[in-house]
Amino acid sequence: NIKSTGLMTMAPFDFSTEERKALFKECRLLANQLNLKECSMGMSSDWEEALEAEATWLRLGSCIFGSRSN
């Protein structure tokens, strides 16, 4: 009884800008094909590429709170 409303993806850290753009566009295309409204993609380091690919959710923790300390 779970209803999916969207997809989420994160690009590997070693992806180039062009590879991230392609991944995000592919995720949005798949969400559209599945008639899913939401598409969560992009983080603080690649949110612009995610917006370009029509993300509906962004994860911006590092932009807001700063980087994590190890």
Side-chain angles (χ1 to χ4, degrees):
N1 293 326
I2 297 174
K3 181 181 178 184
S4 296
T5 60
L7 298 177
M8 181 187 98
T9 192
M10 293 171 48
F13 289 115
D14 61 346
F15 267 30
S16 69
T17 299
E18 293 306 313
E19 289 172 315
R20 285 192 305 268
K21 286 180 180 183
L23 174 68
F24 295 153
K25 287 178 183 178
E26 187 176 336
C27 184
R28 180 73 260 180
L29 179 62
L30 180 57
N32 290 346
Q33 290 171 348
L34 296 171
N35 293 317
L36 298 173
K37 178 182 174 185
E38 306 298 344
C39 205
S40 175
M41 37 191 193
M43 298 176 69
S44 294
S45 62
D46 56 12
W47 65 269
E48 292 172 292
E49 292 93 338
L51 276 183
E52 186 178 315
E54 301 180 36
T56 57
W57 290 86
L58 301 169
R59 293 174 301 283
L60 302 174
S62 296
C63 285
I64 298 168
F65 301 110
S67 60
R68 295 181 184 187
S69 59
N70 293 333

